[in-house]
Amino acid sequence: MDQELKKPGKADRTRAAILAAAQQLFAGQGYELTTVRDIAAIADIDPAMVIRYFGSKDELFARAAVFNLKLPDLSKAERSEIGETLVRHFLSLWEGENANGAMPILLRSAASNKTAANKLREIFMGQVLPALTHAGGRSGAAERAGLVSSQLLGLALCRYVLKLPPVVGLSQDMIIREVGRTIQRYATGEQ
Amino acid sequence: MDQELKKPGKADRTRAAILAAAQQLFAGQGYELTTVRDIAAIADIDPAMVIRYFGSKDELFARAAVFNLKLPDLSKAERSEIGETLVRHFLSLWEGENANGAMPILLRSAASNKTAANKLREIFMGQVLPALTHAGGRSGAAERAGLVSSQLLGLALCRYVLKLPPVVGLSQDMIIREVGRTIQRYATGEQ
DNA sequence: TGCATTTGTCAACACTTGTTGACATTATGC
DNA sequence: GCATAATGTCAACAAGTGTTGACAAATGCA
């Protein structure tokens, strides 16, 4: 289970506590408003430990904001179901059991933190764009990826960050159906 | 032209300079990262004047972030052109001649500043939702407004804040055509 | 001219920030 | 047992924050 082996000594537990507290706060109020002292208070340790274990606030943020889209192989999916497949994938990634909340973390801080903004750019340029290239051919892949990104990130922004009531209230089924159709058209040009 | 009348005394000019500098910085790096001293430096005045003229950094932000969607009356538009009309309207509002950049200001700070987040919520709840209620009937208006908001805000986020290259590269025509179709479907349920 | 108001300058305040180093405490291996 | 390393505590630092008040310069009016 563990990656660095050894018994789960005391150090590892406080390390994990710090990371959990950091993720909670970064996701809730973004990078700038989250202080090392707040993180330490929630993790119930000394602020100095945060620095000792992670080097700096910046490095801690980088650790707290790692995540992978793990996009499914769209070339194997039914072509007519690419949209719904993608939306379903993102929804389960964002609010499924294994969701680690990294998306809100990035989205909340991307507006003012360059590390977060770059990470978001990398994710969508490096994963969404190639996936769509495979799915719909090379021509216009950039445009299609841009449109897809705008809809998916907009959904995440309204639902998890701004928490616009009408968007929060949307059922997963409705999102999959309606947004899925949009993504389908953007991705394939059909309809 | 002026609203408070009187000759445009020296005070009004520095007031305007402060506001312009504030808008520039708020739009570029958000509320938290923008300091009163930075604003003063760009406006080429003393930091104390910023407070003297606007009371506090918070009040200055509130002044810098006022704007109105001025949504067209959708009930009078061709029903089949609601989507394109809306997208065209937002594009000209965001990057037309009279664009004041208030949208990036709000969007960039909304993630961490409650004033900005509330303002965004108010705008979309108070203007987009009613407009769609008129346009497509009362039933499901909230859901439709939510979907429309997610696409429009996502577009603004990717294009002006995150500056994702594929989204920045989209031509206005393409946006009007492609996103317009999405908005059309969300707003009317047609297609 | 003189006076009063407006406009601007300067230094400092109280506070918070990330980060550091010296020291105490606890656990581990011999 | 002891020595050594790991882990935690504490106080302080330098820098930067929004904001304030006392004072100087400029401007307009009589």
Side-chain angles (χ1 to χ4, degrees):
Chain A
M1 287 297 173
D2 290 62
Q3 47 192 22
E4 274 304 49
L5 44 126
K6 286 181 181 177
K7 328 152 197 176
K10 204 170 176 204
D12 304 78
R13 260 184 291 126
T14 58
R15 237 187 116 83
I18 294 174
L19 199 71
Q23 288 175 322
Q24 172 187 335
L25 288 177
F26 284 145
Q29 49 186 6
Y31 180 83
E32 326 289 347
L33 289 185
T34 300
T35 79
V36 171
R37 284 169 169 86
D38 287 345
I39 296 173
I42 290 193
D44 202 42
I45 50 140
D46 193 276
M49 302 304 289
V50 176
I51 302 299
R52 262 256 269 267
Y53 276 71
F54 289 89
S56 72
K57 186 187 173 187
D58 267 306
E59 295 179 57
L60 173 55
F61 180 81
R63 298 286 180 129
V66 288
F67 85 138
N68 198 320
L69 289 188
K70 293 179 202 140
L71 287 184
D73 186 352
L74 293 180
S75 63
K76 286 178 184 164
E78 255 318 318
R79 188 176 169 75
S80 64
E81 288 175 359
I82 285 182
E84 289 204 1
T85 302
L86 261 180
V87 175
R88 220 185 294 269
H89 181 81
F90 274 92
L91 271 184
S92 86
L93 195 72
W94 292 341
E95 47 198 71
E97 299 179 16
N98 306 23
N100 62 356
M103 195 61 196
I105 293 180
L106 282 179
L107 219 45
R108 256 228 159 74
S109 302
S112 56
N113 183 285
K114 296 203 171 182
T115 305
N118 280 335
K119 226 157 198 168
L120 261 186
R121 251 190 297 269
E122 282 170 19
I123 286 174
F124 276 79
M125 298 293 286
Q127 301 190 46
V128 174
L129 200 148
L132 289 188
T133 307
H134 283 118
R138 220 171 298 112
S139 94
E143 281 95 339
R144 286 183 282 120
L147 290 167
V148 167
S149 302
S150 78
Q151 172 64 91
L152 287 178
L153 285 180
L155 177 65
L157 177 77
C158 293
R159 193 169 167 96
Y160 310 122
V161 177
L162 300 182
K163 296 190 204 294
L164 292 185
V167 183
V168 174
L170 290 172
S171 71
Q172 293 206 6
D173 282 349
M174 181 149 196
I175 292 177
I176 291 171
R177 193 181 342 120
E178 295 294 327
V179 178
R181 250 177 97 175
T182 300
I183 303 297
Q184 175 75 22
R185 184 164 58 77
Y186 287 161
T188 68
E190 299 164 359
Q191 285 191 53
Chain B
M1 285 300 172
D2 289 62
Q3 47 193 21
E4 275 302 51
L5 45 129
K6 287 180 179 177
K7 326 152 197 174
K10 201 172 179 203
D12 304 78
R13 261 185 291 125
T14 57
R15 237 186 116 83
I18 294 174
L19 199 70
Q23 288 176 323
Q24 172 187 335
L25 287 178
F26 284 144
Q29 49 186 5
Y31 179 83
E32 325 290 346
L33 290 184
T34 300
T35 79
V36 170
R37 284 169 170 85
D38 287 343
I39 296 173
I42 291 192
D44 203 43
I45 51 140
D46 192 277
M49 303 303 291
V50 176
I51 302 297
R52 262 256 269 266
Y53 277 71
F54 289 90
S56 72
K57 187 189 173 187
D58 267 307
E59 294 180 57
L60 173 56
F61 179 81
R63 297 285 181 132
V66 287
F67 84 137
N68 198 319
L69 289 187
K70 293 180 202 140
L71 288 184
D73 186 352
L74 293 180
S75 62
K76 286 178 184 162
E78 248 331 306
R79 186 175 170 75
S80 64
E81 288 175 359
I82 286 182
E84 288 204 2
T85 303
L86 261 179
V87 175
R88 220 185 293 269
H89 181 81
F90 274 91
L91 270 184
S92 84
L93 195 70
W94 292 341
E95 47 199 71
E97 300 179 15
N98 306 23
N100 62 355
M103 194 61 196
I105 294 180
L106 282 179
L107 219 45
R108 228 186 243 285
S109 302
S112 55
N113 184 284
K114 297 202 169 183
T115 305
N118 280 335
K119 226 158 196 165
L120 262 187
R121 251 191 297 270
E122 281 170 20
I123 286 174
F124 275 80
M125 298 293 287
Q127 300 190 46
V128 174
L129 200 149
L132 289 189
T133 307
H134 282 118
R138 219 170 298 112
S139 94
E143 280 95 340
R144 287 183 280 118
L147 289 167
V148 167
S149 302
S150 78
Q151 172 64 90
L152 288 177
L153 285 179
L155 177 64
L157 177 77
C158 294
R159 193 168 168 96
Y160 309 122
V161 177
L162 300 182
K163 298 189 202 295
L164 293 185
V167 183
V168 174
L170 290 172
S171 72
Q172 293 207 5
D173 283 348
M174 181 149 196
I175 292 177
I176 292 171
R177 191 180 345 118
E178 295 294 328
V179 179
R181 252 178 96 176
T182 299
I183 303 297
Q184 175 76 21
R185 185 165 56 77
Y186 287 162
T188 67
E190 297 165 359
Q191 285 192 54

